[in-house]
Amino acid sequence: MISRTEIATLGEFGLIRRLTEGMKLKNKSSQYGIGDDAAVLSYPANKEVLVTTDLLLEGVHFDLIYVPLKHLGYKSAIVNFSDIYAMNGIPQQITVSLGLSKRFSIEDMEELYAGIRLACEEYNVDIVGGDTSSSYTGLTISITCIGEGEKGKVVYRNGARETDLICVTGDLGAAYMGLQLLEREKSVLRRVDKELQPDFAGKEYLLERQLKPEARRDIIEKLAEEGIKPTAMMDVSDGLSSELLHICTQSNVGCRIYEEHIPIDYQTAVMAEEFNMNLTTCALNGGEDYELLFTVPIADHEKVSEMEGVKLIGHITKPDLGCALITRDGQEFELKAQGWNPLKEESHATEKSEESK
Amino acid sequence: MISRTEIATLGEFGLIRRLTEGMKLKNKSSQYGIGDDAAVLSYPANKEVLVTTDLLLEGVHFDLIYVPLKHLGYKSAIVNFSDIYAMNGIPQQITVSLGLSKRFSIEDMEELYAGIRLACEEYNVDIVGGDTSSSYTGLTISITCIGEGEKGKVVYRNGARETDLICVTGDLGAAYMGLQLLEREKSVLRRVDKELQPDFAGKEYLLERQLKPEARRDIIEKLAEEGIKPTAMMDVSDGLSSELLHICTQSNVGCRIYEEHIPIDYQTAVMAEEFNMNLTTCALNGGEDYELLFTVPIADHEKVSEMEGVKLIGHITKPDLGCALITRDGQEFELKAQGWNPLKEESHATEKSEESK
């Protein structure tokens, strides 16, 4: 039985002290962390400072019925790191703001923070600040990540040019299938009777992709080693279709991608079959993959073809050709952004989830 | 009658486009703002990068019964700017994350954003990013501010030395009295019958301090002009007592401040009398003043005495003398942090407010 200590016994400053105990700043750019009105960072003149932020709200972005707090902490940090890598940068610092309702204990917050700290250790990032407050409702997590990019090497979404090759890392759709699986088993997971835990054997990869995603630091490092600077890049958080349309709109180009080249894991395919879902649709619109989508000049064809974990899925065209998927049987379908839109009426963002603790 | 358009009609990207329409980057350090995975900033080698963040939750930090959305936006930005000034820095950029429940319309968000944009215009700050999401409950605002400090001129909380003078800007307790006043009139303000609006004549200053605070950029500029570098500094957000204890603890010193020197506005005094509250307690523990509290070497005595808007309220002592207030009749009282603690059981953070829209 895990003990439960009310957060009110510590107050804001006490809680922050407890959660950040023993933490040391690792990066040279981190001059001063938690404990003053602001953190102080020092970036050399040859670096650009990259800033990204994500707001995660209980019931909208996560469901504590099946998301363990430590995993949630880990993922909250990772999604921010992923945005920095997507600029061809390296994450350096984060600030962590938390809004906590009374149902959370100090031990809960230690779990959440353990996940955030683990992600920071693995990706060599410092926690330099934040804000902690009570909340009347669920859990609110707001993380801002600061990273560095070499001057002249930052990659935007707007640089894709005609004939560029379109590349994507890893595989797509697995995180989405993991979510479907967890949603299906929710009623079982909610039971107190622990004998009746669902059997996830053979589906571990899907759960891992949903619950403990990683950011593609390895790819950014490899691209640097190979001397490849993508012309455009972003991470796949809302789904491949949606992201590709962002790149094409901002670069004022069109694209063709090929269904047969979209990388999909075996477990994703099995699960789509089981759910009677169209596999390609899952891969195109699933979201939360945190893979990198990027374009390179055709001259880099050989280099990127040989890179492990990178798949060529198509090419950039003139803008008037639009954005399309070529199916296995040669048909052309216009790409549409059906990605996860947290403000749209029909998205799962509006399926109100129940209190879970 | 103001029209009401549902946010779902625009979606996340459409809403952001609408809110940020016509916005241009003003600062040299802002290379690339909204529209990519991260903002790109460029700080010269002689500057430190300052980062601060604040999370504001409906019902905990603000009550929409008496806080107009435009004022809320303005204040949300100002509280962050204030933290950057408190490091002897200049705010440059903010990111704005919003969690919105369905009761908010696009027009509501335009109001909120108009306030944020106004603050950014007046303080010369760029909005460079953010995140927008639906929420099941109230309004969540998370703002991160990035600022610049001259290398070697950033002021921390830990530099106060024995014999240093303690200075505070403006006056204290007014924002707190403004809050008391608004809380008292809440039942009246809630009525639909607009004929029955409360009479705030003669109390405008208190309301302004609560609803539309300003950050003390002017003081930071004057200190630079006069060639004064404070030894320690912070902004007064939780109350003078609490902040002074932070400075003394982190600097490992004690202090003596004098009741008769604490700057208090006439309207604050009248209101405290009306509420039958101890005026000094309000000034010491009220919070949300967003004034600057700083210490300077005794050699700067003449210069700071002559600075408009700055009051000398005491001096730093050896640590073993502790932290005390000397009352008008010469008694000594130990200073205690009774400032606003949003995680303590007894604070007003736990007075659950009602839905207001």
Side-chain angles (χ1 to χ4, degrees), chain B residues 125-191:
Chain B
V125 170
D126 292 318
I127 302 175
V128 295
D131 194 7
T132 307
S133 167
S134 59
S135 122
Y136 286 129
T137 48
L139 178 60
T140 300
I141 307 172
S142 178
I143 293 186
T144 298
C145 184
I146 300 113
E148 67 175 31
E150 297 277 336
K151 273 211 169 129
K153 294 205 172 155
V154 169
V155 178
Y156 296 85
R157 296 175 179 177
N158 63 10
R161 298 290 167 260
E162 211 189 315
T163 77
D164 278 358
L165 304 172
I166 301 169
C167 306
V168 74
T169 63
D171 59 80
L172 303 176
Y176 178 72
M177 292 317 304
L179 180 65
Q180 300 311 309
L181 183 61
L182 287 164
E183 282 287 330
R184 188 181 69 180
E185 304 300 333
K186 202 159 135 173
S187 55
V188 180
L189 287 162
R190 207 181 278 137
R191 285 185 210 159

Side-chain angles (χ1 to χ4, degrees), chain A residues 6-13 15 31-32 35-45 47-61 82-84 86-87 95-100 102 128-138 140 142 144 146 151 154-158 233-235 238 242 246 250 340-345 348-353, chain B residues 6-13 15 31-32 35-45 47-61 82-84 86-87 95-100 102 128-138 140 142 144 146 151 154-158 233-235 238 242 246 250 340-345 348-353:
Chain A
E6 297 300 327
I7 289 172
T9 61
L10 283 180
E12 179 181 3
F13 303 118
L15 177 64
Q31 295 286 303
Y32 195 96
D36 218 297
D37 292 285
V40 182
L41 315 178
S42 213
Y43 278 85
K47 306 280 186 194
E48 309 273 21
V49 181
L50 308 171
V51 182
T52 183
T53 190
D54 265 294
L55 178 66
L56 301 174
L57 302 171
E58 187 176 347
V60 177
H61 300 96
S82 181
D83 280 322
I84 298 292
M87 301 298 289
T95 62
V96 180
S97 292
L98 302 174
L100 317 170
K102 277 194 194 167
V128 296
D131 194 7
T132 307
S133 167
S134 59
S135 119
Y136 286 129
T137 48
T140 301
S142 176
T144 298
I146 301 114
K151 270 205 172 133
V154 169
V155 177
Y156 296 85
R157 297 175 180 177
N158 62 11
M233 183 155 57
M234 64 185 294
D235 72 332
D238 292 340
S242 165
H246 279 301
Q250 293 193 31
W340 196 72
N341 180 345
L343 287 176
K344 266 252 176 88
E345 213 60 72
H348 35 254
T350 52
E351 287 173 48
K352 177 148 190 171
S353 87
Chain B
E6 298 302 326
I7 288 172
T9 60
L10 282 180
E12 179 180 4
F13 303 119
L15 177 64
Q31 294 286 305
Y32 196 97
D36 219 298
D37 292 286
V40 182
L41 315 178
S42 212
Y43 278 85
K47 305 283 186 190
E48 308 272 23
V49 180
L50 309 171
V51 181
T52 184
T53 190
D54 265 294
L55 178 66
L56 302 173
L57 302 170
E58 186 176 346
V60 178
H61 300 95
S82 182
D83 280 321
I84 298 291
M87 302 297 288
T95 62
V96 180
S97 292
L98 302 174
L100 316 169
K102 277 196 194 165
V128 295
D131 194 7
T132 307
S133 167
S134 59
S135 122
Y136 286 129
T137 48
T140 300
S142 178
T144 298
I146 300 113
K151 273 211 169 129
V154 169
V155 178
Y156 296 85
R157 296 175 179 177
N158 63 10
M233 181 154 60
M234 65 186 295
D235 73 333
D238 292 340
S242 165
H246 279 301
Q250 294 194 29
W340 195 72
N341 180 343
L343 288 176
K344 266 255 176 81
E345 211 63 69
H348 32 257
T350 52
E351 286 173 48
K352 177 149 187 168
S353 88

Side-chain angles (χ1 to χ4, degrees), chain B residues 3-47:
Chain B
S3 68
R4 182 186 161 91
T5 319
E6 298 302 326
I7 288 172
T9 60
L10 282 180
E12 179 180 4
F13 303 119
L15 177 64
I16 292 170
R17 260 196 303 276
R18 172 108 164 228
L19 295 177
T20 59
E21 217 175 347
M23 241 169 48
K24 287 202 176 64
L25 299 177
K26 297 177 288 268
N27 290 317
K28 216 181 139 191
S29 55
S30 308
Q31 294 286 305
Y32 196 97
I34 294 164
D36 219 298
D37 292 286
V40 182
L41 315 178
S42 212
Y43 278 85
N46 62 335
K47 305 283 186 190

Side-chain angles (χ1 to χ4, degrees), chain A residues 57-76:
Chain A
L57 302 171
E58 187 176 347
V60 177
H61 300 96
F62 55 88
D63 187 332
L64 291 175
I65 291 179
Y66 51 74
V67 180
L69 283 164
K70 189 170 176 182
H71 284 74
L72 178 62
Y74 192 86
K75 184 170 171 174
S76 307

Side-chain angles (χ1 to χ4, degrees), chain A residues 138-290:
Chain A
L139 178 60
T140 301
I141 306 173
S142 176
I143 294 188
T144 298
C145 184
I146 301 114
E148 65 176 31
E150 297 277 337
K151 270 205 172 133
K153 294 205 174 156
V154 169
V155 177
Y156 296 85
R157 297 175 180 177
N158 62 11
R161 297 290 166 257
E162 210 189 315
T163 77
D164 278 359
L165 304 172
I166 302 170
C167 307
V168 75
T169 64
D171 59 79
L172 303 176
Y176 177 72
M177 290 320 300
L179 180 65
Q180 299 311 309
L181 183 61
L182 288 164
E183 281 287 329
R184 187 181 69 179
E185 303 301 333
K186 204 159 133 173
S187 56
V188 180
L189 287 162
R190 208 182 275 138
R191 283 186 211 160
V192 189
D193 184 357
K194 295 293 174 193
E195 301 295 306
L196 276 167
Q197 284 299 294
D199 180 12
F200 289 132
K203 291 157 189 159
E204 295 85 355
Y205 181 66
L206 305 179
L207 294 181
E208 198 188 316
R209 293 286 284 177
Q210 172 56 227
L211 296 175
K212 194 172 177 284
E214 299 291 344
R216 298 309 305 254
R217 171 175 52 182
D218 57 333
I219 298 294
I220 296 304
E221 288 170 353
K222 268 192 220 166
L223 287 170
E225 276 167 31
E226 297 289 336
I228 300 171
K229 185 191 166 193
T231 48
M233 183 155 57
M234 64 185 294
D235 72 332
V236 183
S237 52
D238 292 340
L240 178 65
S241 271
S242 165
E243 316 304 17
L244 204 46
L245 288 170
H246 279 301
I247 286 183
C248 289
T249 307
Q250 293 193 31
S251 301
N252 190 32
V253 293
C255 72
R256 289 293 172 277
I257 58 168
Y258 297 86
E259 189 181 17
E260 62 190 319
H261 293 317
I262 296 174
I264 295 171
D265 185 81
Y266 174 75
Q267 287 189 16
T268 310
V270 170
M271 205 63 219
E273 176 102 14
E274 199 177 319
F275 276 118
N276 202 18
M277 282 171 155
N278 181 296
L279 181 58
T280 303
T281 305
C282 294
L284 284 177
N285 302 316
E288 292 199 276
D289 298 305
Y290 302 107

